[in-house]
Amino acid sequence: MATSSTATASLHLLLPTSRRRRLLVPRATHSDCTVDRRRFIAHTTAAVAPLVLPPVVLWTPAARADDAPALSQWERVYLPIDPGVVLLDIAFVPDDPSHGFLLGTRQTILETKDGGNTWFPRSIPSAEDEDFNYRFNSVSFKGKEGWIIGKPAILLHTSDAGESWERIPLSAQLPGNMVYIKATGEQSAEMVTDEGAIYVTSNRGYNWKAAVQETVSATLNRTVSSGISGASYYTGTFNTVNRSPDGRYVAVSSRGNFYLTWEPGQPFWQPHNRAVARRIQNMGWRADGGLWLLVRGGGLFLSKGTGITEDFEEVQVQSRGFGILDVGYRSQDEAWAAGGSGVLLKTTNGGKSWVRDKAADNIAANLYSVKFLDDSKGFVLGNDGVLLRYLG
């Protein structure tokens, strides 16, 4: 509460100039003081009356469509895992589309039996080693046959749609870390390491045959001497690798300064110079058989035509300055791109133009992977245990 002197000074400033002079007269008789006191109170009351403040009204901002909590075509699925887990891969049993598995860091294996609406932790005793904290990188099913690989080197196999899993021993001389596996048939699979080794098995993983004659490092050591540009900067491992439905591979070098391709029957990986100034973040296959290419900093490029090429053209995207990390095609026309800080983009014309799903801006996570298992079932995987399910 203000002191009496402060209140008097404030009220004094509200009085007319002629009245102020009376208050400031230094000497006065008792009767003059009495009269002036009465006048002071009268004028003070008149001056204060208009200062009554109106009731306080709190301002509430108007609701905006951009602030809608729900995603337009996706819903978030909350998982029973630690917040720090990064989700890495997802797959469903073809014979039972409601039954699937979700992998991640920190020994994360989750299972669903309702199409991905709810998930629960799956315990696999042979994968619970006290001395290791496995990072499960890839899962794949063909019929009831399924495979899981991870780092440190671990290979799991099932022949009953994941009801039981067995651990398959691996050679200690395996070049590189296993990063991808594809179930190809009964007791058969194809496996890729981050050093470019490709192996195939037809007896449940007990024997593997090399599909390429040498690792990528060996290939580049040979081609550098023949003048292949950029290969001399290669550090020996892949940053990303993606497989097309017909068995072709595209991989990005660990520094992102060039990429490599492989087709069934080729003895070696084929290195390619990047056609863009910025380093490559990721590459993959479009639904029409062409390539998409992401660069660090948020750029998106599409190859001209289909097949393997070094000719790309840039497509304008609204990534808000965040990097785009993956692209997944639902159909030949519709695809989704995901990236840092909840960036989620959609195209309905094969990638020629993209629009941002602004509702995803509210997701405080990096979205690393877009997986469409068919035209009605899709998922986006991110860090901090973020999983989005496609609603259509």
Side-chain angles (χ1 to χ4, degrees):
M1 183 173 179
T3 61
S4 59
S5 60
T6 303
T8 303
S10 300
L11 294 171
H12 172 240
L13 294 175
L14 295 172
L15 297 176
T17 305
S18 59
R19 300 300 180 189
R20 276 186 236 165
R21 291 197 185 104
R22 292 189 179 182
L23 289 175
L24 295 175
V25 174
R27 295 180 182 180
T29 63
H30 176 74
S31 60
D32 289 337
C33 290
T34 302
V35 173
D36 284 348
R37 189 179 300 112
R38 291 172 182 169
R39 292 177 178 173
F40 173 76
I41 293 172
H43 285 293
T44 299
T45 303
V48 170
L51 293 178
V52 177
L53 297 176
V56 176
V57 178
L58 297 177
W59 178 76
T60 303
R64 293 169 43 190
D66 294 353
D67 297 331
L71 298 169
S72 58
Q73 292 182 267
W74 300 82
E75 70 172 358
R76 181 168 179 182
V77 180
Y78 290 89
L79 305 174
I81 55 177
D82 295 334
V85 171
V86 178
L87 302 178
L88 298 174
D89 200 13
I90 188 171
F92 283 75
V93 180
D95 294 346
D96 183 5
S98 63
H99 187 198
F101 290 82
L102 178 63
L103 309 183
T105 58
R106 302 185 184 180
Q107 295 195 186
T108 298
I109 300 179
L110 301 178
E111 187 175 5
T112 181
K113 293 191 176 180
D114 60 7
N117 293 323
T118 59
W119 297 82
F120 55 90
R122 175 59 191 271
S123 175
I124 301 177
S126 59
E128 296 175 354
D129 193 317
E130 295 181 357
D131 296 330
F132 295 105
N133 188 2
Y134 289 108
R135 169 193 176 102
F136 293 111
N137 289 322
S138 183
V139 56
S140 179
F141 280 90
K142 179 80 170 181
K144 293 185 178 181
E145 200 98 15
W147 306 82
I148 291 176
I149 59 170
K151 176 185 177 181
I154 184 172
L155 174 63
L156 303 174
H157 172 261
T158 180
S159 57
D160 56 8
E163 295 301 320
S164 62
W165 294 85
E166 64 174 330
R167 183 167 181 173
I168 307 298
L170 291 166
S171 171
Q173 298 179 352
L174 183 72
N177 299 304
M178 295 179 294
V179 293
Y180 178 81
I181 194 163
K182 174 69 175 179
T184 56
E186 185 177 355
Q187 299 187 359
S188 301
E190 188 173 275
M191 178 178 64
V192 184
T193 75
D194 61 359
E195 291 188 11
I198 303 177
Y199 292 99
V200 295
T201 183
S202 57
N203 62 353
R204 296 169 53 188
Y206 286 97
N207 296 103
W208 295 86
K209 180 181 178 181
V212 292
Q213 296 182 9
E214 60 189 11
T215 64
V216 174
S217 295
T219 298
L220 292 173
N221 286 334
R222 288 189 300 99
T223 56
V224 164
S225 60
S226 61
I228 298 297
S229 175
S232 60
Y233 298 101
Y234 187 65
T235 59
T237 58
F238 292 154
N239 184 39
T240 64
V241 59
N242 282 295
R243 186 183 191 271
S244 71
D246 60 0
R248 294 175 296 166
Y249 284 95
V250 60
V252 176
S253 66
S254 55
R255 292 189 179 182
N257 53 342
F258 66 99
Y259 64 99
L260 306 102
T261 59
W262 181 82
E263 299 182 69
Q266 290 182 336
F268 313 109
W269 285 85
Q270 307 299 312
H272 300 269
N273 294 314
R274 72 178 191 270
V276 296
R278 285 178 287 174
R279 293 180 182 265
I280 305 171
Q281 177 70 42
N282 195 4
M283 292 182 69
W285 303 92
R286 303 197 305 262
D288 64 1
L291 290 165
W292 52 262
L293 182 152
L294 304 174
V295 297
R296 298 176 185 179
L300 189 156
F301 294 76
L302 300 179
S303 64
K304 296 180 180 179
T306 60
I308 297 172
T309 179
E310 296 182 6
D311 193 6
F312 289 80
E313 58 184 354
E314 186 171 9
V315 178
Q316 296 300 317
V317 293
Q318 300 176 3
S319 65
R320 300 183 296 138
F322 296 100
I324 303 175
L325 303 176
D326 195 26
V327 176
Y329 275 76
R330 173 179 169 268
S331 65
Q332 192 145 326
D333 294 324
E334 182 181 329
W336 291 80
S341 193
V343 169
L344 197 58
L345 307 166
K346 178 185 179 181
T347 180
T348 55
N349 55 15
K352 296 177 183 177
S353 61
W354 298 76
V355 294
R356 192 171 96 242
D357 190 337
K358 295 183 180 179
D361 295 350
N362 297 322
I363 299 175
N366 294 327
L367 305 177
Y368 289 114
S369 180
V370 182
K371 303 280 187 180
F372 277 98
L373 308 170
D374 55 44
D375 59 1
S376 62
K377 183 176 292 182
F379 295 88
V380 175
L381 286 60
N383 68 335
D384 284 336
V386 170
L387 177 69
L388 308 182
R389 187 172 73 93
Y390 182 70
L391 300 176

